[in-house]
Amino acid sequence: MFSSFMGRGLHTTRAALSAASGIPESTLREWANGAAMPLSAIFTLRRHLPPQAIAMVCEPGDVRMVDIETSETNWDEIASETAGLTFEICEARKDGHIDHVERARLQHRARSLIAELSEIIKD
């Protein structure tokens, strides 16, 4: 999760995330290297990372976290994102298989869509 969202040109840097969250950079580095992350850390990081990052952290536990705040659903955006993912799947399968690069790109897009969809089904 950290390599997908933290680093030069990505959502944030480890230093910026540390400053915003109050979690030491050394601890973030340990988590990035595979150390166990406590649930309280996920709650803290949730405020500073995009929903798909938190969804990725929660995937091994087969759970999703959603905000309790309600907002108006943008159905056009959901339809567009869903159609975009479908198109990318079809493009990736043109040659009969999905390679590791295509799989990573599809997983990233799917996580984003799952995070959006989780928001609209929380009621």
Side-chain angles (χ1 to χ4, degrees):
M1 183 274 295
F2 285 101
S3 62
S4 298
F5 296 96
M6 289 190 344
R8 188 175 300 249
L10 297 175
H11 179 76
T12 189
T13 64
R14 191 174 290 142
L17 184 59
S18 174
S21 68
I23 298 171
E25 279 189 69
S26 60
T27 302
L28 293 172
R29 191 175 308 107
E30 288 173 9
W31 293 339
N33 290 327
M37 181 186 300
L39 185 58
S40 60
I42 294 171
F43 290 139
T44 299
L45 292 174
R46 185 170 191 212
R47 290 179 245 142
H48 308 288
L49 291 171
Q52 59 266 36
I54 301 306
M56 189 183 293
V57 170
C58 296
E59 275 178 8
D62 198 27
V63 296
R64 298 275 178 255
M65 296 182 86
V66 295
D67 290 329
I68 58 172
E69 297 176 9
T70 59
S71 61
E72 187 65 31
T73 300
N74 185 339
W75 291 106
D76 291 335
E77 182 179 343
I78 297 293
S80 175
E81 288 297 320
T82 303
L85 176 60
T86 303
F87 173 78
E88 282 193 38
I89 291 168
C90 293
E91 283 294 307
R93 292 199 47 80
K94 265 187 185 178
D95 61 359
H97 73 283
I98 296 176
D99 65 31
H100 70 284
V101 173
E102 293 165 329
R103 181 177 307 281
R105 189 177 62 247
L106 291 172
Q107 286 175 333
H108 178 76
R109 183 132 189 199
R111 282 187 184 102
S112 252
L113 183 58
I114 288 168
E116 287 182 45
L117 292 173
S118 293
E119 291 296 313
I120 65 170
I121 62 168
K122 64 185 172 191
D123 292 332

